[in-house]
């Protein structure tokens, strides 16, 4: 898991290095304690240009994320206790320039994975990047996931599937048209 975390953080840092914007919005779905985003931003001198919302249901994880945010001095990040499977959780987070989906697509049903990818459209700003993770334990759904991203208007920028482990990390950039604010209703049900 630490190897996967470092790879996700590297993608976040590479993305920030390529985006000279003075203000960037990030949303982390089922953020846990926010290690991926907090760890990537903490050492950066330009972290103040990031406005991020970590959406997490478990109050213990939210408390830990808030502690990590405060310790790192990341004033632009908030940890919100909410059900990330409900569109209502994204009212203040969308449209985002980056959506972090680490640990989400392997903890929802395969049917919800497809629905979640389609649901990213109203969450993403123009040219937004989505970073996602998924296990390749059989049956491996990652080929279908990559295709579903393409069908939804995302271009693959990276896909890492190290041969000695089962995790994968993908990065896709949205080339479609931004949509209206997120509608009401459920996106997915977190299973684990």
């Amino acid at each position: 898991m630490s190897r996967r975390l470092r790879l996700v953080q590297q993608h976040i840092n590479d993305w920030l290095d390529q985006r000279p914007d003075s203000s960037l919005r990030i949303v982390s779905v089922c953020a846990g304690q926010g290690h991926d985003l907090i760890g990537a931003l903490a050492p950066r001198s330009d972290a103040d240009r990031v406005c991020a919302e970590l959406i997490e249901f478990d109050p213990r994880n939210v408390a830990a994320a808030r502690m990590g945010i405060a310790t790192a001095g990341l004033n632009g990040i908030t940890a919100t206790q909410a059900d990330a499977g409900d569109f209502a959780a994204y009212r203040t987070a969308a449209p985002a320039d980056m959506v972090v989906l680490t640990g989400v697509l392997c903890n929802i049903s395969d049917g919800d994975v497809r629905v979640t990818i389609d649901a990213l459209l109203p969450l993403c700003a123009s040219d937004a990047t989505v970073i996602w993770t998924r296990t390749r334990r059989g049956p491996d759904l990652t080929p279908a996931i990559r295709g579903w991203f393409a069908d939804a208007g995302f271009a693959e920028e990276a896909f890492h599937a190290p041969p000695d482990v089962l995790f994968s990390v993908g990065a896709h950039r949205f080339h479609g048209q931004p949509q209206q604010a997120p509608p009401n209703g459920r996106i997915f049900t977190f299973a684990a």
Side-chain angles (χ1 to χ4, degrees):
M1 294 304 278
S2 63
R3 188 170 158 195
R4 186 188 83 172
L5 175 62
R6 287 191 306 273
L7 190 52
V8 169
Q9 290 173 336
Q10 184 62 53
H11 275 291
I12 293 169
N13 278 304
D14 289 348
W15 177 79
L16 286 166
D17 290 343
Q18 295 165 10
R19 296 287 300 254
D21 316 53
S22 61
S23 179
L24 293 164
R25 294 176 59 91
I26 300 176
V27 62
S28 182
V29 179
C30 298
Q33 297 181 8
H35 294 298
D36 44 18
L37 195 55
I38 294 168
L41 291 175
R44 293 187 67 98
S45 62
D46 64 347
D48 61 341
R49 67 189 178 113
V50 174
C51 177
E53 189 164 353
L54 310 179
I55 300 175
E56 170 60 36
F57 186 74
D58 185 325
R60 294 166 298 179
N61 283 337
V62 173
R66 288 176 178 159
M67 178 74 71
I69 291 165
T71 300
L74 298 170
N75 298 325
I77 301 181
T78 59
T80 302
Q81 184 180 355
D83 180 354
D86 189 327
F87 271 118
Y90 302 93
R91 292 286 178 217
T92 60
D97 300 300
M98 172 178 278
V99 178
V100 180
L101 278 175
T102 57
V104 177
L105 300 183
C106 56
N107 286 302
I108 60 178
S109 72
D110 292 353
D112 275 357
V113 170
R114 175 72 189 257
V115 170
T116 300
I117 292 169
D118 290 338
L120 290 170
L121 302 182
L123 302 181
C124 288
S126 179
D127 207 32
T129 295
V130 176
I131 298 175
W132 58 275
T133 61
R134 169 75 187 209
T135 182
R136 289 177 289 121
R137 185 174 293 114
D140 183 2
L141 193 65
T142 59
I145 290 171
R146 296 164 77 188
W148 294 336
F149 269 106
D151 292 346
F154 291 84
E156 186 170 276
E157 299 222 317
F159 180 72
H160 304 277
D164 58 328
V165 292
L166 290 176
F167 76 76
S168 62
V169 177
H172 283 75
R173 183 165 290 184
F174 181 53
H175 289 293
Q177 291 297 317
Q179 296 186 1
Q180 297 293 329
N184 294 318
R186 292 219 52 81
I187 307 168
F188 61 80
T189 300
F190 201 72

